[in-house]
Amino acid sequence: MSELPILLNSIDNVFKILEQLDHTTFCAGNPDQDLVTLWYQQMFSLYGCSGRRSGYLDHSLISNQPTVRHNDCCVLLADKSVRCSPCSSFRSTLRSRRWRIRSKSENSETRHKNYRLLSLPELVHRLDDLHHNYCNLGQQLSRLKEKIASATEITLDDESDHLKYETP
């Protein structure tokens, strides 16, 4: 883009701006309906490494439908490409996130759970379950030690849980 006039003090300046706008295109952003829906579902977790939200939902008059744009979107493009570089890379991010969500829903039998995303009550419940399981395992270990000791002449050392053989 060449230099645009700073002041619109003449008709020539207005025509220069109109001529420049005629040679530019608008960045399409990411208007795909499934990406817009993903934005509504995931908008509080789409943060970049800087800690700020990576994009925004644009309802402007530029496009007749909502589109998801990267924060660094330049909106006006000097060349005839469809979208700017930040929106293109953000599109890749959104599509991979959509693919992970779809594959996760298809493979819902997975046992892995991301504990960072649990709420505080869920974390407390998980901690209670782990503590309960730990206590049960301790009781099972004590019962097994007693059974082993009563069935044989072998005793377990309480400090190291090593077997001690006793001769009668």
Side-chain angles (χ1 to χ4, degrees), residues 29-40:
N30 298 293
D32 305 349
Q33 184 58 41
D34 54 341
L35 297 182
V36 171
T37 304
L38 175 71
W39 176 257
Y40 279 120

Side-chain angles (χ1 to χ4, degrees), residues 15 68 99 117:
F15 282 122
V68 180
W99 180 83
L117 302 178

Side-chain angles (χ1 to χ4, degrees), residues 27-29 70 72-75 77 81-89:
C27 174
H70 191 271
D72 298 332
C73 178
C74 54
V75 182
L77 303 173
S81 60
V82 176
R83 59 185 55 86
C84 63
S85 176
C87 284
S88 293
S89 62

Side-chain angles (χ1 to χ4, degrees), residues 141 144-145 148-149 154-158 161-164:
L141 182 62
L144 285 173
K145 284 181 183 180
I148 290 173
I154 301 172
T155 60
L156 291 174
D157 183 13
D158 286 332
D161 286 338
H162 292 299
L163 296 174
K164 287 185 182 177

Side-chain angles (χ1 to χ4, degrees), residues 28-168:
N30 298 293
D32 305 349
Q33 184 58 41
D34 54 341
L35 297 182
V36 171
T37 304
L38 175 71
W39 176 257
Y40 279 120
Q41 294 170 349
Q42 302 280 319
M43 67 182 194
F44 296 112
S45 62
L46 290 171
Y47 288 91
C49 59
S50 64
R52 66 183 182 124
R53 193 174 298 162
S54 299
Y56 63 97
L57 191 63
D58 186 10
H59 289 286
S60 66
L61 299 175
I62 295 172
S63 61
N64 57 359
Q65 58 188 358
T67 183
V68 180
R69 296 187 188 279
H70 191 271
N71 281 344
D72 298 332
C73 178
C74 54
V75 182
L76 290 177
L77 303 173
D79 55 1
K80 296 294 181 189
S81 60
V82 176
R83 59 185 55 86
C84 63
S85 176
C87 284
S88 293
S89 62
F90 194 48
R91 179 180 185 80
S92 174
T93 302
L94 289 171
R95 292 177 78 179
S96 64
R97 170 92 43 123
R98 179 188 62 191
W99 180 83
R100 284 193 308 266
I101 288 172
R102 283 183 182 169
S103 65
K104 183 178 178 181
S105 66
E106 291 170 2
N107 301 328
S108 60
E109 298 298 320
T110 182
R111 294 180 52 146
H112 175 72
K113 188 174 242 183
N114 192 347
Y115 297 114
R116 294 181 309 145
L117 302 178
L118 293 179
S119 65
L120 184 60
E122 291 171 328
L123 285 172
V124 169
H125 181 68
R126 169 136 173 88
L127 184 61
D128 288 341
D129 286 346
L130 288 173
H131 179 70
H132 182 69
N133 289 342
Y134 177 78
C135 292
N136 285 342
L137 288 173
Q139 291 172 356
Q140 285 178 359
L141 182 62
S142 317
R143 286 193 296 266
L144 285 173
K145 284 181 183 180
E146 291 172 7
K147 284 183 182 180
I148 290 173
S150 65
T152 63
E153 295 293 323
I154 301 172
T155 60
L156 291 174
D157 183 13
D158 286 332
E159 293 176 9
S160 64
D161 286 338
H162 292 299
L163 296 174
K164 287 185 182 177
Y165 295 101
E166 295 178 2
T167 54

Side-chain angles (χ1 to χ4, degrees), residues 3-34:
E3 286 292 318
L4 292 176
I6 296 173
L7 295 174
L8 296 177
N9 54 5
S10 70
I11 294 293
D12 290 337
N13 288 346
V14 173
F15 282 122
K16 285 181 186 177
I17 291 175
L18 288 176
E19 184 179 331
Q20 283 295 324
L21 286 176
D22 190 38
H23 296 294
T24 60
T25 58
F26 289 105
C27 174
N30 298 293
D32 305 349
Q33 184 58 41
D34 54 341

